[in-house]
Amino acid sequence: MYGNMSSPFAARGQRATLYAKVGLETDVQAASPHRLVAMLFDGVFDSMSQAAAAIQNGNTELKGRSLSRAVRILDEGLRAGLDLSAGQLATDLRELYGYVCMRLTQANLHSDLAAIEECQRLLSPVREAWGAIAQTPAALGRDATRAA
């Protein structure tokens, strides 16, 4: 009757997870292309933070899930979305994302907290630069140009 949805009689935690998932899906559908990339960066950093905490707590399962998620976001989201015809910056970002994916995979294999911290340091300037251009008309999309 409910398909993949939780029953209305499900435990409170399950309902909260379902509501969070619906909220995220709504955010993604309504987001501008710029906001989608920002959400991908948020996901990568959240996953790396979860993995670092999991390493410190000895939680191998959570570490593996979190680092795998970070690598998928980088590879299938950020890296795959690059327009390589845009020039050297796109090529440099592709190489950076590839390197970070490799380091996160190594961090997963060796529970290497320093490798995760290195990846966070490497990606932070890119994330900050992306956030800095958030208020430009191009980043705001069509609504910004109509309002101007």
Side-chain angles (χ1 to χ4, degrees):
M1 176 173 165
Y2 294 101
N4 288 333
M5 303 292 283
S6 287
S7 163
F9 305 108
R12 184 174 185 205
Q14 290 175 322
R15 288 191 310 259
T17 301
L18 178 62
Y19 289 129
K21 184 178 179 182
V22 169
L24 177 62
E25 289 174 5
T26 302
D27 288 347
V28 167
Q29 290 173 355
S32 68
H34 184 274
R35 177 69 187 127
L36 288 173
V37 172
M39 291 171 75
L40 290 172
F41 276 119
D42 291 346
V44 167
F45 276 84
D46 288 346
S47 293
M48 288 189 293
S49 294
Q50 286 177 354
I55 288 172
Q56 291 171 337
N57 294 325
N59 188 337
T60 305
E61 182 183 345
L62 179 59
K63 173 203 67 167
R65 262 195 334 262
S66 298
L67 288 174
S68 293
R69 180 175 178 255
V71 168
R72 286 191 68 201
I73 292 169
L74 280 164
D75 193 43
E76 297 173 19
L78 292 168
R79 191 172 175 195
L82 291 171
D83 177 6
L84 298 177
S85 67
Q88 188 62 41
L89 178 60
T91 302
D92 291 346
L93 286 172
R94 181 188 65 187
E95 291 175 13
L96 173 65
Y97 297 155
Y99 175 78
V100 171
C101 286
M102 178 198 64
R103 290 295 288 149
L104 290 176
T105 300
Q106 290 172 343
N108 194 9
L109 290 172
H110 304 291
S111 293
D112 187 351
L113 189 57
I116 295 171
E117 292 168 351
E118 174 192 4
C119 294
Q120 290 170 324
R121 282 192 308 274
L122 289 171
L123 290 175
S124 285
V126 180
R127 182 188 197 191
E128 291 167 11
W130 192 257
I133 63 171
Q135 296 306 312
T136 64
L140 293 172
R142 291 179 291 165
D143 292 334
T145 51
R146 279 190 218 145

